[in-house]
Amino acid sequence: MKDLFLLFLLVLQVFCGFAQSTQWWDPTDQDFHTIEGQAWPDEVKAPYDRLPARAEGVVRDAVWNLSRHAAGQLIRFRSNAEKITVRYGVGSKNFGKTHMPATGVSGVDLYAISSDGQWLWTKGNRSFGDTVVYRFNGLKPNDGYHKFGREYRLYLPLYNSVEWLEIGVEEGDFFRPLPVRPEKPIVVYGTSIAHGACASRPGMAWTNILGRKMDRPMINLAFSGNGRLEEEVVSFLTEIDPEIYIVDCLPNLWNAELYDDAELSRRILESVRQLKKAHPEVPVLLTEHAGYTDGSMVPERQGLFTRVNDIQEKAFEQLRKEGLTEIHYLPYEDLNLGLDDMVDGTHPNDLGMMHYAEAYEKALRTILQEPTGAISTTQPCIQYREPGNYDWEDRHHEILERNRTHPPKMVILANSIVHFWGGEPKAKLARETESWEKGFTPMGLANYAYGWDRIENVLWRVYHGELDGFSAEKVLIMIGTNNMHLNTNQEIMDGLKLLVRAVQARQPDAEIVLMGILPRRDYEERIRQLNTGIEWLARTNGIRYNFIGDVFLQGDGKINEALFSDGLHPNKAGYLKMRGPLEEILKRP
């Protein structure tokens, strides 16, 4: 008995020690918005609602009640913790459904992004009760560049409301909440399929998969069984300023007795007209009913979805004849759903969700002019390699704000060699500010270079608005040296080709100058060969090529070490050598 009592005391001490050493953070207790996926964060009745409080009594009760579900919402933070605990309360203690597990209905899902931009996932040990608890243990705290961990994204329950939530890490661990991203969101209006049925966990809902693939904020306004193209709901959608609207409501409009051909056509036409009147330049993507995987065995169901698809296709053609622009169509064949993609013939499982997301990504990348390729240099991604000198995301947000308030005359896209030279936006580390301020600032050159950037990081930045909202006279591109230890010359050129086309699409009136990579120690010959290819790439794309690296080379083709601090980054004398050739490029008409 005494031994049992001692064991009890030991367990109690361990538990108390755990409780005392854990620091808890509440996303609602912050002076900036941290719950991503909300279009009206300052107007909600409860912290994790999807519609504003004023929607109650305006939309049908069923829609309002479903809008209390946290579907599509996520919380971002950075941490180097080896253990992360999430605890929260939900509105309904019916944690799961007969065709959907509790992990999807009421669970959370934790993803991470490495310092190089790769997506990661970790399982949580979970318990469901009055308080739901997920414990993520044994995490690798850092990626090798620094000790500040990585970014995490916590997806919230799909089919339950969140009453309260806290995230805990051990005292002394680095933990930084991240604000809601300012980029325009993808807005989805749909049915149970977009709501999340029947994903095994929140991260596997197709809307959340698409959010990761496009790396954009998502606003999920899907309402299970109630995505019915209602004017009251569409009116709320018009209040959002999105990157694109996705309208995927036909699975809730198949009943011909409730929605005959004329009524269904009217709802489609009026919904799109309403959205386009509010936002004429914003694309609207109409999606067909994907059908039923048991349709061949139950012919009656086959006719249900083909009827609504035919009506929507005719409505789409009518809208085009009316002169509406930036309206797009996704036929059910493109969704590519197969026999094993659904739980009950109607709602997709994880495989079906992935097929939905892949189809949407393909459509959106075409509409938004954001193509990708198979190799790393053609796959846009973020990075977090140098937080000691600057915060990559903060710099991106600062540039977006500067574009709005101080649109630049000229821009250079580059890496640390230019980033830490000087200019605006200012960097904490600046190696030769005086020469920049005297030479380039009066000419209107903005420094859109980032330390440690690779081609794929610049591609992400261009896709996410750094060249939007203004008209530049010149855009200079000098990027690729940080890819050389990872990629072949051809892979670097493939990435640059995609980057050039991305810049051309966003700055069609600017002169684009593709610049050769600067020489560096032990890479002189390879860079010479690579620059020959880059010059050819510039010519074939109808843009100018320039190389300013001759000032760093000696007669034997090797770099002049006296102009460098480390064989890669110029010192003060090196920056002064570069100033003249760069000024000539900027002055050239």
Side-chain angles (χ1 to χ4, degrees):
M1 192 70 177
K2 182 180 179 181
D3 290 340
L4 288 175
F5 180 72
L6 290 174
L7 180 61
F8 170 76
L9 289 178
L10 179 62
V11 171
L12 184 63
Q13 287 175 346
V14 171
F15 175 78
C16 291
F18 168 78
Q20 291 171 355
S21 65
T22 301
Q23 53 181 349
W24 295 97
W25 172 69
D26 181 347
T28 66
D29 186 21
Q30 199 73 37
D31 57 5
F32 53 85
H33 295 303
T34 60
I35 304 168
E36 191 164 284
Q38 292 181 317
W40 301 271
D42 294 317
E43 298 186 56
V44 290
K45 183 175 182 179
Y48 296 92
D49 284 357
R50 291 185 288 155
L51 286 177
R54 55 189 163 85
E56 187 175 13
V58 176
V59 300
R60 287 184 299 107
D61 288 348
V63 173
W64 171 253
N65 292 334
L66 290 164
S67 77
R68 313 302 297 273
H69 295 174
Q73 296 178 44
L74 62 88
I75 296 161
R76 301 187 312 127
F77 59 91
R78 292 199 187 119
S79 182
N80 62 2
E82 295 184 18
K83 178 168 60 177
I84 297 172
T85 304
V86 181
R87 62 186 185 187
Y88 57 100
V90 292
S92 172
K93 297 307 185 287
N94 294 320
F95 297 115
K97 298 179 179 291
T98 57
H99 64 333
M100 186 174 174
T103 50
V105 173
S106 305
V108 295
D109 210 359
L110 188 63
Y111 281 74
I113 306 177
S114 77
S115 294
D116 285 326
Q118 282 87 37
W119 283 98
L120 309 167
W121 177 84
T122 182
K123 76 175 184 68
N125 297 319
R126 58 195 177 273
S127 61
F128 289 90
D130 289 340
T131 295
V132 183
V133 180
Y134 271 69
R135 293 181 174 87
F136 304 92
N137 298 324
L139 303 174
K140 179 183 176 183
N142 298 292
D143 292 322
Y145 292 97
H146 49 77
K147 300 299 182 182
F148 298 98
R150 62 184 65 83
E151 178 180 334
Y152 286 90
R153 298 188 186 179
L154 180 72
Y155 292 94
L156 302 187
L158 297 171
Y159 265 85
N160 214 329
S161 61
V162 174
E163 309 265 307
W164 61 272
L165 182 144
E166 292 179 325
I167 301 171
V169 299
E170 295 298 293
E171 289 184 5
D173 288 341
F174 173 75
F175 184 89
R176 179 193 171 189
L178 293 176
V180 170
R181 291 171 287 177
E183 288 91 349
K184 293 182 179 182
I186 298 168
V187 175
V188 180
Y189 179 29
T191 69
S192 57
I193 296 168
H195 194 137
C198 288
S200 65
R201 47 187 174 82
M204 289 309 297
W206 74 253
T207 51
N208 289 335
I209 299 172
L210 181 64
R212 291 194 299 278
K213 285 179 174 292
M214 302 297 295
D215 202 12
R216 286 190 177 277
M218 301 286 296
I219 303 292
N220 186 334
L221 293 177
F223 308 106
S224 185
N226 289 275
R228 302 179 185 178
L229 296 178
E230 294 166 304
E231 181 180 353
E232 299 81 5
V233 178
V234 176
S235 179
F236 281 106
L237 266 69
T238 64
E239 297 178 7
I240 308 168
D241 183 19
E243 188 72 21
I244 186 171
Y245 288 111
I246 294 175
V247 180
D248 189 353
C249 290
L250 292 189
N252 285 162
L253 295 165
W254 55 267
N255 191 327
E257 294 182 6
L258 296 176
Y259 315 102
D260 62 22
D261 293 9
E263 174 60 13
L264 177 55
S265 179
R266 184 194 69 80
R267 290 190 180 220
I268 296 167
L269 292 169
E270 290 305 314
S271 295
V272 176
R273 288 168 182 156
Q274 198 174 348
L275 294 173
K276 295 301 293 183
K277 182 179 180 180
H279 302 284
E281 304 303 319
V282 173
V284 175
L285 176 61
L286 287 174
T287 306
E288 286 194 341
H289 192 317
Y292 310 101
T293 51
D294 62 343
S296 296
M297 292 293 292
V298 186
E300 180 182 0
R301 275 162 67 81
Q302 191 81 7
L304 297 179
F305 83 87
T306 55
R307 181 186 77 90
V308 297
N309 285 348
D310 289 343
I311 293 169
Q312 181 169 265
E313 186 174 12
K314 291 174 183 175
F316 176 75
E317 291 303 324
Q318 181 176 332
L319 291 166
R320 294 181 64 179
K321 289 178 182 178
E322 291 176 7
L324 270 67
T325 59
E326 284 298 327
I327 58 172
H328 305 270
Y329 204 73
L330 184 61
Y332 82 96
E333 296 93 345
D334 289 359
L335 294 171
N336 196 33
L337 297 182
L339 191 65
D340 298 322
D341 282 356
M342 292 185 182
V343 171
D344 53 6
T346 301
H347 300 95
N349 53 29
D350 288 354
L351 179 60
M353 289 289 187
M354 183 60 70
H355 286 155
Y356 260 97
E358 289 171 345
Y360 273 115
E361 182 192 14
K362 183 178 179 180
L364 264 60
R365 290 206 177 279
T366 299
I367 296 168
L368 302 178
Q369 300 185 74
E370 296 182 8
T372 63
I375 57 176
S376 63
T377 55
T378 60
Q379 296 170 355
C381 66
I382 64 174
Q383 58 104 336
Y384 183 56
R385 301 185 187 104
E386 200 170 9
N389 285 322
Y390 80 106
D391 186 285
W392 196 90
E393 181 173 305
D394 287 351
R395 185 169 176 84
H396 172 63
H397 293 170
E398 183 180 359
I399 284 174
L400 296 183
E401 179 62 19
R402 284 185 59 83
N403 286 349
R404 188 181 67 83
T405 60
H406 298 85
K409 184 178 179 180
M410 293 181 281
V411 167
I412 183 166
L413 303 170
N415 50 42
S416 57
I417 295 170
V418 173
H419 179 185
F420 301 125
W421 188 341
E424 296 285 347
K426 290 187 181 298
K428 182 168 63 175
L429 174 64
R431 295 191 172 102
E432 228 309 289
T433 301
E434 184 179 356
S435 63
W436 186 288
E437 294 298 336
K438 287 184 177 179
F440 307 134
T441 297
M443 301 175 75
L445 178 64
N447 187 342
Y448 285 11
Y450 289 47
W452 275 97
D453 254 13
R454 299 172 187 158
I455 296 168
E456 55 266 33
N457 307 131
V458 180
L459 187 64
W460 187 98
R461 297 198 277 118
V462 171
Y463 283 173
H464 287 255
E466 291 197 7
L467 294 181
D468 293 347
F470 65 96
S471 182
E473 293 181 7
K474 293 180 188 286
V475 178
L476 281 59
I477 304 170
M478 186 169 67
I479 193 73
T481 195
N482 290 327
N483 290 92
M484 297 192 68
H485 66 293
L486 297 169
N487 300 105
T488 66
N489 286 4
Q490 185 60 53
E491 289 172 339
I492 291 171
M493 289 176 59
D494 288 344
L496 289 173
K497 180 179 179 181
L498 203 61
L499 177 59
V500 165
R501 291 181 177 177
V503 174
Q504 289 173 323
R506 288 153 181 82
Q507 291 287 340
D509 298 324
E511 180 190 20
I512 300 171
V513 181
L514 186 58
M515 302 179 67
I517 294 174
L518 296 179
R520 54 187 287 189
R521 182 191 299 146
D522 299 330
Y523 282 85
E524 292 93 342
E525 178 55 27
R526 183 183 171 189
I527 288 175
R528 187 191 65 77
Q529 295 175 9
L530 177 57
N531 284 342
T532 299
I534 293 175
E535 183 178 10
W536 173 86
L537 180 65
R539 286 202 313 271
T540 57
N541 281 271
I543 62 175
R544 179 175 290 174
Y545 170 82
N546 273 106
F547 177 61
I548 62 174
D550 286 331
V551 295
F552 294 113
L553 293 173
Q554 302 178 125
D556 60 0
K558 297 294 184 180
I559 65 167
N560 182 350
E561 294 281 357
L563 300 176
F564 290 85
S565 61
D566 56 4
L568 171 63
H569 298 90
N571 55 23
K572 183 180 178 70
Y575 280 116
L576 293 175
K577 282 275 190 181
M578 268 205 300
R579 175 182 164 181
L582 187 55
E583 281 183 343
E584 288 301 314
I585 295 172
L586 299 176
K587 290 177 181 177
R588 193 177 302 159

